[in-house]
Amino acid sequence: MSTAQEVPTYPALVQELADGGLLTARWRQVFDAVPRSGFVPADVWRQLPDRCEPVVGTDAWLALVNSDEPVVTQLDDGAENGPGIATSSNSMPSMVARMLGLLDIEDGQHVLEIGTGTGYVAALLCERLGDDLVHSVELDPDVARQAAEALAQAGYRPHLRVGDGEQPWPGLGLVDRLIATCALRYVPYALLRQVLPGGIVVAPLAREFWSGALVQLQVQDDGTATGPFRGGATYMPMRGHRVPDLHDVHGKGRARAAGLDPARLLDLGFALYAGARLPGVRLIHQNTDNGVQVWASRENGAAATAATGEEVWQYGPGFLWEDIEQTWWEYETEGRPDAGQFGLTVTDRGQQVWLRDPNEVIRPGRP
């Protein structure tokens, strides 16, 4: 009997997505018809918590491509000898399925994709709607070229453009659906202006306090858009929306006793609430043997770090950790609402997070 591990297959992956309730019958047909392997280059990496690891060997490549994992396809914007930071990928198939389902596509609708990437999502859209109804824009010329080649090889010819996806597509007109496959710090209002009233926008957002959240917006007759958050979604940021992890930190450290377990801050519901109450506060974290360590910073140089079961250290002006703890107690008073109870409204003046009702906007606290 052979002890070699069986390499997973794409049909098995699609079956997994269907069993998980992520594919309607129509989308099941679409996914079956578009193998992921046709849109993944030979040189790829697996994303680990602290680095990107090269994938070596055909079996390892197939195992990654036919699994429900993201596949990193570019490091350091394509530059040689960089630090090894992932800058382009083929997204998790389950996330792709979730986002396409949230688009609520109907036959004959025009779709605009922001971030062509490998071309896999564009191919799925072409299979569902037909080439002429699909438009996709990519900023990186090399990534765009590889996607165009992969799409043509697979027999798809959507409308492709190399350019800044944050800006309107000249001459495109209005579309029925818009999907962003890169994380946005905010939804550019200029993009909403390209979507018909009643149209749907699905995008992953990554704010300073958020690890990533998927939002489903419907464009209103007055040009604004509003809708609920639909769970977590971690995507690489649009290049114009990248920010450093933390602000510059000022002052010497001051210790205080441990308080709130920082692991609680990672709940997406709290992150959405705190992101609205504490605008500009950035938070990053890493897992530890005992739980979690977090680092938070504010533009004025204030900072704090806390680890599960350990004392808190604060830096710079004010007491940032106390502000975060106070926000947590507010969140508790609200009943610790989960992420699905929050939503977003986008207007020409910016965007606002709300809780349970679009009229219940979460206002910023004191700086």
Side-chain angles (χ1 to χ4, degrees):
M1 178 182 293
S2 171
T3 58
Q5 187 173 358
E6 187 175 341
V7 177
T9 65
Y10 185 70
L13 173 59
V14 176
Q15 184 65 52
E16 179 185 330
L17 300 179
D19 291 345
L22 295 173
L23 298 175
T24 63
R26 183 72 184 94
W27 278 117
R28 169 69 186 267
Q29 293 176 333
V30 169
F31 273 71
D32 275 332
V34 187
R36 191 186 189 198
S37 58
F39 298 90
V40 178
D43 295 329
V44 297
W45 298 261
R46 173 180 273 110
Q47 179 71 67
L48 301 178
D50 59 343
R51 68 187 189 281
C52 291
E53 178 182 75
V55 176
V56 180
T58 301
D59 284 357
W61 186 91
L62 282 170
L64 180 59
V65 171
N66 292 328
S67 69
D68 190 26
E69 289 187 51
V71 180
V72 177
T73 56
Q74 184 196 65
L75 301 179
D76 307 314
D77 296 331
E80 297 287 340
N81 302 316
I85 297 171
T87 51
S88 191
S89 71
N90 186 292
S91 303
M92 286 177 66
S94 59
M95 182 60 66
V96 171
R98 278 178 57 199
M99 293 180 72
L100 291 175
L102 289 172
L103 277 181
D104 195 21
I105 287 173
E106 298 177 10
D107 291 347
Q109 291 184 328
H110 289 262
V111 178
L112 171 59
E113 178 193 20
I114 308 300
T116 310
T118 64
Y120 180 55
V121 173
L124 293 167
L125 289 168
C126 287
E127 182 68 25
R128 173 66 180 83
L129 293 167
D131 297 357
D132 200 45
L133 296 177
V134 178
H135 296 74
S136 185
V137 59
E138 170 62 48
L139 180 65
D140 188 305
D142 289 335
V143 171
R145 175 184 53 77
Q146 293 171 20
E149 291 172 356
L151 284 159
Q153 183 69 28
Y156 301 110
R157 296 192 178 277
H159 300 278
L160 300 175
R161 174 173 168 258
V162 178
D164 184 356
E166 190 170 354
Q167 302 302 319
W169 186 314
L172 173 59
L174 300 182
V175 299
D176 302 280
R177 300 289 187 265
L178 186 148
I179 180 172
T181 53
C182 51
L184 309 175
R185 288 184 61 219
Y186 55 87
V187 178
Y189 187 70
L191 289 183
L192 295 185
R193 299 297 298 271
Q194 287 217 247
V195 182
L196 285 161
I200 293 174
V201 175
V202 175
L205 299 186
R207 300 298 301 278
E208 289 88 344
F209 212 99
W210 305 352
S211 58
L214 195 61
V215 70
Q216 180 191 40
L217 303 172
Q218 186 163 43
V219 177
Q220 310 299 306
D221 290 340
D222 62 0
T224 64
T226 192
F229 286 99
R230 298 293 195 181
T234 301
Y235 272 78
M236 294 171 195
M238 177 184 281
R239 292 192 184 180
H241 287 223
R242 294 174 181 170
V243 294
D245 283 337
L246 296 172
H247 300 92
D248 291 334
V249 177
H250 301 157
K252 295 181 179 180
R254 312 181 301 276
R256 50 148 275 194
L260 178 70
D261 183 350
R264 292 185 171 187
L265 307 186
L266 306 185
D267 176 84
L268 183 57
F270 175 69
L272 294 171
Y273 183 82
R277 289 288 289 153
L278 301 170
V281 173
R282 295 181 186 162
L283 186 84
I284 60 174
H285 78 278
Q286 72 175 21
N287 295 325
T288 67
D289 292 340
N290 298 319
V292 165
Q293 182 165 13
V294 301
W295 294 265
S297 70
R298 191 175 251 153
E299 192 173 13
N300 65 358
T305 182
T308 302
E310 298 182 15
E311 62 187 3
V312 175
W313 282 85
Q314 300 193 86
Y315 305 83
F319 297 92
L320 178 55
W321 191 253
E322 278 79 353
D323 291 343
I324 291 172
E325 286 186 325
Q326 175 60 37
T327 304
W328 168 264
W329 301 126
E330 292 176 12
Y331 175 69
E332 275 219 324
T333 301
E334 290 287 353
R336 294 194 196 180
D338 61 33
Q341 297 183 62
F342 292 87
L344 188 76
T345 295
V346 183
T347 73
D348 59 354
R349 299 180 301 279
Q351 60 185 28
Q352 295 177 315
V353 175
W354 44 263
L355 177 58
R356 302 188 182 98
D357 185 286
N359 293 317
E360 299 298 324
V361 173
I362 302 171
R363 305 292 179 186
R366 62 177 179 81

